[in-house]
């Protein structure tokens, strides 16, 4: 485990470090962007899974968040959070835990995309006169979970939810994951526009059959980093990664590299001139295997060293080569520290039991995420 | 988190489950294999990182293990373990923690492959009349850490370690990671033979310059699953993955699929006939991203369902398609459980804060691994 220390250069490596000032800046930028549009931000917790970062993202209100697991839901409920949306397709064996959370919190939301899940909710009415708050997951051409927007089953399911005893159709939820295939702001905005239009059209269809006051929420860090004007007509957005950002988001055009708040610090552990390679103490347990073959510099970007490439990793070893030519080993003494910008911050954060938080070069805290399901 | 429950079918998913009987069988098979050859097994902890599994691998003796991180070293020392080999290239900032472990335990070993690390050890003599127990890492054509066996620097470094005050050259350590490029027992045995010969030749070179009583250890699950006779001349072997095995090891020829002790249990969370796909609640947080494009069935093998392929994963979602033809959705009701054989057990285990241990279909315990560095 990382030991308590004041200075970055003394940290045991590998270490996952978070720049507190950038986190705050990214968080405020998102809140201000949507305050201007009059849209509620319901930040997603899946990237960091810590109380401290959630406090920043909710400006200390501890309300109105999205989670990806029931472990996160319980962790935040235990931490004094409320109005929690568990944005994951509900299956029968999870209904009991969701009922407990619904009865414990003033507002707990679940998500469904099929009638089987709805039947399970109807079979388990909530106590204390509470109702199930249900979001219908709509697939707006991302092709993961959700009823396809063009499928008549979507409207049919909305009607069934809306008409069910003890159940309320609270909102329509869409993840525009297809923004991850974009290159640049223009393409991102095109997907954001298309998704927004499809969700708003669906809400209109609901109104046409007498189903009123249903919220709408879309999300993805790319679309919420470059919102289109029509997003002002949504009730909420639910991005998550933006609080850290990463190399992937900079490639997509969601941010610049200066906006990336996280690094993996690593040290040089070996010089192997006979194969023009050095080793660092960053394997996939520290970086994850996300981003294979996605960057010209391998699995990550070496900060201030564009000439280096992380060519391969095993559990605790990373192999580093020059992008071209011969490595100048004298520049990278044994034990010297290098800083990696991760390809995918969600995947890298998931590998770490503790995040070292720093501000202006000094360590100011440790954040401990929840894990499991 | 997984809740306490007696039956596998009631487990919250995704869940990492360990078959206790197979673990014991794999462990005993390895111990018996090398007992016949008169060679000490020093099992590697990196795959599971739990006390309970280490107890099985050491038959309750709690001595003579290998670890990959200082977090593991401290965890096992706290758990009453001794004779711990920290088999990772030593860098200056880690010397203090190694000194503490050396002074606390009766036997703590470090590993070096360069003179910088040796100088650091010499600068920090141990208290209580203790000496640093140093293993020299030799690279026998694996191409990761270690001094190349053919490099005169290897013998030179051995002499320097051996001649240094307060330092003992305890052994020569080699990881035959090149067995992971093998196909089948014959190729594995060829690498095991080559590695064994190279290490033993190096020990002879040491004797020729007057350096006696130096141990020798090679390791990798493939080579130790199919030892060659000459391995009887080694002092130790240090495999780790064998206690779980995985799909990769079965492909290499180290084991059969019946020997794989671990699974990820997952449930069907969505049916999407319009794209001939179902979703399961196993993303890369539950399986890791290891094994991409290595198996005809995608990222893992579906137990009892060779017709299924895990084609892609996001953080909490896995997309499943038939290997060919149309999916019969009626066979996979929403909420039904599927069992995945991981490609790489070390990588999958690393994603889980708790392992559910079962025997003959009943849950018999939870193992909690250490994490971090």
């Amino acid at each position: 485990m990382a030991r308590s220390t004041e200075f970055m250069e003394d940290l045991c490596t590998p270490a996952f470090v978070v720049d507190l000032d950038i986190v705050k800046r990214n968080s405020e930028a998102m809140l201000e962007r949507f305050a201007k549009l009059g849209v509620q931000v319901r930040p997603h917790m899946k990237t960091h899974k810590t109380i401290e970062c959630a406090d920043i993202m909710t400006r200390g209100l501890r309300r109105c968040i999205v989670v990806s697991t029931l472990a996160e839901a319980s962790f935040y409920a235990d931490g004094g959070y409320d109005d929690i949306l568990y944005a994951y397709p509900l299956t029968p064996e999870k209904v009991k835990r969701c009922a407990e959370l619904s009865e414990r919190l003033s507002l707990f939301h679940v998500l469904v995309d099929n009638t089987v899940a709805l039947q399970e909710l109807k079979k388990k009415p909530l106590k204390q006169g509470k109702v199930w708050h249900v979001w219908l997951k709509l697939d707006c051409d991302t092709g993961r979970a959700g009823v396809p927007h063009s499928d008549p089953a979507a409207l049919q399911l909305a009607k069934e939810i809306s008409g069910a005893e003890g159940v309320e159709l609270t909102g329509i939820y869409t993840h525009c994951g297809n923004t991850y295939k974009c290159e640049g702001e223009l393409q991102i905005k095109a997907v954001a526009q298309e998704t927004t239009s499809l969700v708003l059209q669906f809400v209109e269809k609901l109104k046409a059959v007498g189903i009123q006051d249903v919220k709408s929420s879309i999300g993805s860090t790319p679309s919420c980093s470059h919102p289109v004007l029509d997003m002002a007509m949504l009730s909420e957005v639910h991005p998550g990664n933006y609080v850290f950002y990463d190399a992937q988001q900079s490639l997509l055009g969601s941010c610049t590299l200066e906006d990336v708040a996280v690094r993996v610090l690593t040290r040089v552990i070996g010089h192997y001139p006979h194969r023009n390679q050095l080793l660092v103490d960053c394997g996939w347990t520290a970086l994850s295997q996300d981003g294979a073959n996605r960057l010209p510099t391998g699995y990550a970007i070496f900060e201030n060293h564009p000439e280096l490439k992380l060519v391969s990793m095993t559990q605790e070893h990373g192999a580093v080569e020059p992008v071209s030519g011969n490595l100048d080993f004298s520049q990278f003494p044994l034990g010297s520290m290098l800083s990696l910008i991760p390809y995918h911050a969600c995947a890298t954060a998931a590998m770490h039991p503790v995040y070292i938080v720093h501000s202006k070069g000094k360590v100011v805290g440790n954040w401990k995420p929840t894990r499991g399901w």
Side-chain angles (χ1 to χ4, degrees), chain A:
Chain A
M1 303 292 287
R3 303 220 161 168
S4 60
T5 175
E6 204 178 349
F7 300 105
M8 302 285 279
E9 58 267 31
D10 298 331
L11 288 173
C12 278
T13 49
F16 184 72
V17 299
V18 179
D19 187 316
L20 184 62
D21 304 301
I22 300 181
V23 160
K24 287 179 178 172
R25 192 177 77 207
N26 290 343
S27 177
E28 284 301 304
M30 188 60 78
L31 292 170
E32 284 164 23
R33 193 176 295 134
F34 282 94
K36 281 183 198 153
L37 292 173
V39 175
Q40 172 74 45
V41 176
R42 181 186 288 277
H44 208 307
M45 302 293 113
K46 70 160 193 113
T47 300
H48 58 88
K49 306 193 186 199
T50 68
I51 295 291
E52 296 87 345
C53 194
D55 283 352
I56 294 169
M57 294 168 99
T58 62
R59 284 184 180 152
L61 293 178
R62 300 196 163 187
R63 288 186 69 82
C64 201
I65 59 171
V66 187
V67 297
S68 65
T69 65
L70 282 173
E72 286 166 62
S74 297
F75 174 75
Y76 285 107
D78 292 347
Y81 274 72
D82 208 320
D83 190 356
I84 300 174
L85 168 49
Y86 172 47
Y88 194 76
L90 191 66
T91 38
E93 88 289 354
K94 292 188 176 101
V95 170
K96 185 164 172 280
R97 287 168 73 188
C98 289
E100 287 164 9
L101 284 159
S102 296
E103 287 160 0
R104 172 181 172 189
L105 298 174
S106 73
L107 212 44
F108 182 72
H109 313 257
V110 296
L111 182 144
V112 305
D113 78 351
N114 61 72
T115 53
V116 173
L118 176 62
Q119 297 315 316
E120 293 294 322
L121 294 179
K122 287 161 74 177
K123 276 194 248 167
K124 180 132 183 105
L126 297 175
K127 294 171 190 160
Q128 308 155 14
K130 288 197 163 185
V131 297
W132 286 102
H133 297 280
V134 175
W135 292 67
L136 188 155
K137 176 86 180 243
L138 200 66
D139 178 4
C140 295
D141 301 328
T142 279
R144 198 172 65 179
V147 194
H149 63 89
S150 56
D151 187 338
L155 189 61
Q156 181 56 33
L157 180 58
K159 283 186 199 169
E160 284 177 36
I161 297 169
S162 178
E165 183 102 23
V167 178
E168 174 196 277
L169 178 61
T170 306
I172 307 301
Y173 190 98
T174 291
H175 170 57
C176 36
N178 41 347
T179 49
Y180 283 82
K181 291 172 190 146
C182 291
E183 286 179 25
E185 188 177 331
L186 277 180
Q187 287 187 17
I188 290 170
K189 283 189 158 165
V191 173
Q193 181 63 59
E194 177 70 6
T195 309
T196 303
S197 301
L198 290 171
V199 170
L200 293 174
Q201 281 163 24
F202 190 77
V203 171
E204 288 305 311
K205 279 192 219 171
L206 294 179
K207 285 182 188 162
V209 296
I211 303 173
Q212 308 288 337
D213 301 323
V214 174
K215 293 188 177 184
S216 53
S217 183
I218 79 163
S220 90
T221 280
S223 60
C224 294
S225 297
H226 296 298
V228 291
L229 281 179
D230 276 2
M231 285 167 76
M233 289 185 275
L234 296 167
S235 318
E236 304 186 351
V237 290
H238 52 256
N241 173 284
Y242 70 95
V243 74
F244 286 170
Y245 282 127
D246 51 34
Q248 177 177 219
Q249 295 289 350
S250 83
L251 283 177
L252 291 170
S254 308
C255 66
T256 68
L257 280 181
E258 285 67 40
D259 300 317
V260 183
V262 296
R263 300 286 186 276
V264 173
L265 299 183
T266 183
R267 281 193 175 84
V268 177
I269 58 168
H271 285 174
Y272 307 94
H274 63 286
R275 57 176 201 261
N276 198 26
Q277 208 173 58
L278 57 80
L279 287 184
V280 291
D281 64 358
C282 176
W284 44 253
T285 52
L287 189 67
S288 89
Q289 296 182 64
D290 213 316
N293 307 314
R294 300 288 181 88
L295 294 165
T297 55
Y299 285 87
I301 295 171
F302 284 90
E303 191 168 22
N304 302 323
H305 288 288
E307 76 277 22
L308 296 181
K309 181 173 183 176
L310 184 60
V311 290
S312 66
M313 290 183 289
T314 52
Q315 187 158 345
E316 299 291 345
H317 301 74
V320 181
E321 290 178 6
V323 171
S324 64
N326 285 321
L327 199 55
D328 176 5
F329 288 91
S330 69
Q331 272 201 61
F332 309 101
L334 289 167
S336 61
M337 202 181 262
L338 292 166
S339 175
L340 292 165
I341 305 176
Y343 178 75
H344 188 180
C346 309
T348 301
M351 307 309 290
H352 291 264
V354 60
Y355 311 161
I356 313 293
V357 184
H358 63 96
S359 174
K360 298 165 188 70
K362 277 185 78 171
V363 175
V364 294
N366 289 337
W367 292 352
K368 291 187 180 151
T370 190
R371 293 279 175 253
W373 292 273

